[in-house]
Amino acid sequence: MTSRLESELHAQPAALRSFLTTGAAAAAAVRELAAATCGVVIAARGSSDNAARYARYLVPLVAEREVTLATPSLLTAYGAAPTVWRRLVVGISQSGRSPDIVAVLRDARERGAPTLAVTNDPASDLAAQADLILPLHVGEERSVAATGTYTASLAAVAVLAAGLAPEPAAEALLADLDRVPDLVERALGVDVDEAVEVFGASWRGVTVGRGVNLATAHEAALKLTELTGSLVTPFSPADLRHGPIGAVGPATPVLLVAPDEAASASVLDLRAELRERGAPVVVTGPDLPGPLPGLVSPIVAVVPAQKLAWRLALARGVDVDAPGGLHKITETE
Amino acid sequence: MTSRLESELHAQPAALRSFLTTGAAAAAAVRELAAATCGVVIAARGSSDNAARYARYLVPLVAEREVTLATPSLLTAYGAAPTVWRRLVVGISQSGRSPDIVAVLRDARERGAPTLAVTNDPASDLAAQADLILPLHVGEERSVAATGTYTASLAAVAVLAAGLAPEPAAEALLADLDRVPDLVERALGVDVDEAVEVFGASWRGVTVGRGVNLATAHEAALKLTELTGSLVTPFSPADLRHGPIGAVGPATPVLLVAPDEAASASVLDLRAELRERGAPVVVTGPDLPGPLPGLVSPIVAVVPAQKLAWRLALARGVDVDAPGGLHKITETE
């Protein structure tokens, strides 16, 4: 029987195409909503927080606006609200039901800030607090591990960035985005057999990414951890070198995320040192379909990592739709 | 022979006392420097980045100012500088020699932003780019794993927050800080035998913290990883529950960081679920000396975790002054 996860993985190109049919219109709506703002605050958890990590690089790069990640527990544990003056406040939540993310948007709206919801459920509590909704067009995602909602959230972040960017950067980014669904489709065909073998030999691992693909390293680690039972930790090259690399050896497989992109050189530079330590190294980058525009590369680069996590979980006999006995919605405050 | 690490661990109370002799004066200098600013940007790596994590909670809580973590690779990989308008730009680096952190301060200064260096070397490149230096008073830290410079950096962050806060919050925070050296001294006496046994049984692990002590969970994971060879991943309770908890079982020891503090309840709430999964759980909080003011609790709560990492490394035969064959200064760009 085909798992829901497998179906959702392979539905990504169609979901992205559907989302992008309204991409330019959504970017224009963002532009209007954000007209009086000079920065962005994003509240998110889990995979959505990794989409926010992408925004921290992409938005300053193309739109010269600062992105601050909200710390929802400031509000829910201490009652201290984030600064929202002249900020566009964005909540990213596939279900739209994370109470702490909803709380940040509700509070921002009460204080007069423009609010944007990126969610797969336009009827959710989160959407109800938003001046503008970017619906993810993914259909009901039923497996615990988010795949299609992650890549769609990245596309929504890129649309957000295009909405904030001046021309011609905005138009160029939207043109790059339009090429993404085909590239994702081809990335689904990437061979992950070797990576499955390498990561299958251990119950721990490391992922490394930088710049726009720091998000990819985080999401790859999260997918591997939640699906396979391995505990996988994400790092930037600098943070890995600052000490944790001492723990990396033959029993620690490493995934280097390095599409052809400005920030990838220092990720690839790690190869020699990792191999000296005896660590099995897998690189994703050269195997990706192309030409792959650097700024949207995270939407494509995560796909082989999703496939690796899925395939390794299958090899380990995991129920991939409910790994670790978990349910889909986690209502944390 | 006493290792440098052991000496540095036990020198923390004296280093903190020395640093705090000028705490109030330093806070006043921060207040003057930051008079025309309305937010803070911090650039840091490794342990210093965990001090920045503390700032992300403490500064908004006591001073209602926003803290943004700079993404140094935006500047060094893409040439895109962070927003510094009306920001106090802070670099935290014990050596003061991380080129990417120096680059962020240099760039900010060239654009007219007030700059602050938190460093153990007042003659470093970082200090040379700063309008104000908060020297850490730690003496030369020679073991690879930062301990005294971490707790001193947290104290510097608290002084920074006091400098930005209105009265009476500023004075109250400085009064809390003055109690910290004695509390750290008593925390060094906390018994970690059980924790050493629990974490010694596995080569992977998890730490959990929230609010001001999310920083403590990150720093505990970093110390354990760089010193013991275990790969230990830090989480907030929400992020752990969102999926990774599925990978937690009998082979995954968990350290819950939960001093008596507003954000700790949801950390402690995890105990039942973790035990159901068979995970060995260690809690730090009830064992800490008191009364422990919540806002400065991270400076004390990290100490048993440092001791745990040191003791486990010894038990594993690691050269604790050069674990993994690493050197002290990592010059990453």
Side-chain angles (χ1 to χ4, degrees):
Chain A
M1 204 184 79
T2 306
S3 65
R4 292 167 181 169
L5 178 65
E6 182 179 358
S7 306
E8 289 163 10
L9 263 176
H10 289 93
Q12 292 181 98
L16 287 164
R17 279 184 198 106
S18 171
F19 176 76
L20 290 173
T21 52
T22 57
V30 167
R31 189 177 301 274
E32 194 181 331
L33 179 65
T37 64
C38 58
V40 181
V41 173
I42 306 183
R45 290 285 190 203
S47 281
S48 301
D49 203 26
N50 293 335
R53 277 196 174 85
Y54 175 46
R56 278 190 79 198
Y57 290 85
L58 186 67
V59 171
L61 271 176
V62 302
E64 292 185 31
R65 307 253 189 144
E66 183 181 66
V67 173
T68 305
L69 303 189
T71 42
S73 62
L74 262 182
L75 185 62
T76 53
Y78 301 103
T83 305
V84 299
W85 183 73
R86 287 207 164 208
R87 306 298 160 89
L88 173 65
V89 180
V90 179
I92 310 178
S93 166
Q94 68 86 18
S95 71
R97 286 196 263 173
S98 289
D100 48 356
I101 309 305
V102 176
V104 170
L105 245 69
R106 182 185 297 117
D107 168 80
R109 191 177 218 187
E110 283 170 6
R111 292 190 284 148
T115 54
L116 170 65
V118 175
T119 178
N120 201 28
D121 182 359
S124 61
D125 289 350
L126 186 72
Q129 299 301 331
D131 297 316
L132 178 65
I133 304 166
L134 297 190
L136 293 176
H137 293 242
V138 176
E140 192 187 358
E141 190 174 63
R142 293 195 295 174
S143 74
V144 163
T147 52
T149 52
Y150 176 68
T151 46
S153 294
L154 293 185
V157 163
V159 162
L160 164 67
L164 300 173
E167 294 300 353
E171 203 175 334
L173 182 58
L174 288 170
D176 284 348
L177 259 181
D178 280 337
R179 299 175 47 212
V180 162
D182 286 352
L183 292 166
V184 165
E185 188 146 18
R186 287 161 60 202
L188 283 164
V190 165
D191 184 352
V192 297
D193 289 354
E194 187 205 333
V196 168
E197 197 171 316
V198 165
F199 272 81
S202 182
W203 290 95
R204 53 183 247 179
V206 162
T207 62
V208 187
R210 187 170 182 237
V212 290
N213 281 292
L214 179 62
T216 313
H218 276 261
E219 181 64 9
L222 179 55
K223 280 317 97 158
L224 282 161
T225 298
E226 63 184 355
L227 279 169
T228 73
S230 280
L231 194 62
V232 180
T233 314
F235 292 100
S236 72
D239 282 336
L240 183 63
R241 280 212 172 96
H242 246 104
I245 199 169
V248 175
T252 317
V254 179
L255 174 66
L256 300 180
V257 181
D260 184 10
E261 200 274 320
S264 290
S266 69
V267 177
L268 292 173
D269 282 348
L270 283 166
R271 268 183 303 189
E273 190 172 349
L274 291 167
R275 282 175 183 156
E276 264 173 41
R277 292 180 175 275
V281 175
V282 176
V283 181
T284 184
D287 55 336
L288 295 170
L292 176 56
L295 291 178
V296 298
S297 62
I299 317 178
V300 181
V302 75
V303 172
Q306 293 173 332
K307 191 174 169 185
L308 160 62
W310 161 57
R311 289 274 312 283
L312 178 54
L314 287 183
R316 286 180 169 171
V318 172
D319 174 358
V320 294
D321 292 332
L326 294 176
H327 301 290
K328 182 69 184 164
I329 295 159
T330 312
E331 297 203 345
T332 44
E333 293 240 21
Chain B
M1 204 186 80
T2 306
S3 65
R4 291 167 181 168
L5 178 65
E6 183 180 357
S7 305
E8 289 164 11
L9 263 175
H10 288 93
Q12 292 180 100
L16 287 164
R17 278 186 199 106
S18 171
F19 176 76
L20 290 173
T21 52
T22 55
V30 167
R31 189 177 302 275
E32 196 181 332
L33 179 66
T37 65
C38 58
V40 181
V41 173
I42 305 183
R45 291 283 191 205
S47 281
S48 302
D49 203 27
N50 294 335
R53 278 195 174 88
Y54 175 46
R56 278 189 80 198
Y57 290 86
L58 186 67
V59 171
L61 272 176
V62 303
E64 291 185 30
R65 308 253 187 141
E66 183 182 63
V67 173
T68 305
L69 303 190
T71 41
S73 62
L74 263 181
L75 184 60
T76 53
Y78 301 104
T83 305
V84 299
W85 183 75
R86 288 210 161 203
R87 304 299 162 88
L88 173 64
V89 180
V90 179
I92 309 178
S93 166
Q94 67 86 17
S95 72
R97 288 197 262 173
S98 289
D100 49 355
I101 309 304
V102 176
V104 171
L105 245 68
R106 182 184 296 117
D107 169 80
R109 192 176 218 189
E110 283 169 6
R111 290 191 285 147
T115 54
L116 170 66
V118 175
T119 178
N120 201 28
D121 182 358
S124 62
D125 290 351
L126 186 71
Q129 299 301 331
D131 297 316
L132 178 65
I133 305 166
L134 297 190
L136 293 177
H137 292 243
V138 175
E140 194 189 356
E141 191 175 63
R142 295 194 293 176
S143 73
V144 163
T147 53
T149 51
Y150 177 68
T151 47
S153 294
L154 293 186
V157 163
V159 162
L160 163 68
L164 299 174
E167 295 298 355
E171 201 176 335
L173 182 58
L174 288 171
D176 284 350
L177 261 182
D178 280 337
R179 299 176 48 211
V180 162
D182 286 351
L183 292 165
V184 165
E185 188 146 18
R186 287 161 61 200
L188 284 164
V190 165
D191 184 351
V192 298
D193 289 354
E194 188 204 334
V196 170
E197 198 171 317
V198 165
F199 272 81
S202 181
W203 290 94
R204 53 182 247 179
V206 162
T207 62
V208 188
R210 187 172 181 238
V212 289
N213 281 292
L214 179 62
T216 314
H218 277 260
E219 181 64 9
L222 180 55
K223 281 316 98 160
L224 282 161
T225 299
E226 61 185 355
L227 278 169
T228 74
S230 279
L231 195 62
V232 180
T233 314
F235 292 101
S236 73
D239 283 335
L240 183 64
R241 279 212 173 93
H242 247 104
I245 200 169
V248 175
T252 316
V254 179
L255 173 65
L256 300 180
V257 181
D260 184 11
E261 201 275 320
S264 290
S266 70
V267 177
L268 291 173
D269 283 349
L270 284 166
R271 269 181 303 189
E273 192 171 349
L274 291 168
R275 283 176 181 154
E276 265 172 42
R277 292 179 176 275
V281 175
V282 176
V283 181
T284 185
D287 57 335
L288 295 170
L292 176 57
L295 291 178
V296 296
S297 61
I299 317 179
V300 180
V302 76
V303 173
Q306 294 173 333
K307 191 174 169 184
L308 159 61
W310 162 57
R311 287 277 310 283
L312 178 54
L314 287 184
R316 285 180 170 172
V318 172
D319 173 359
V320 293
D321 291 331
L326 294 177
H327 301 291
K328 180 69 183 165
I329 296 160
T330 312
E331 298 204 340
T332 43
E333 293 240 21

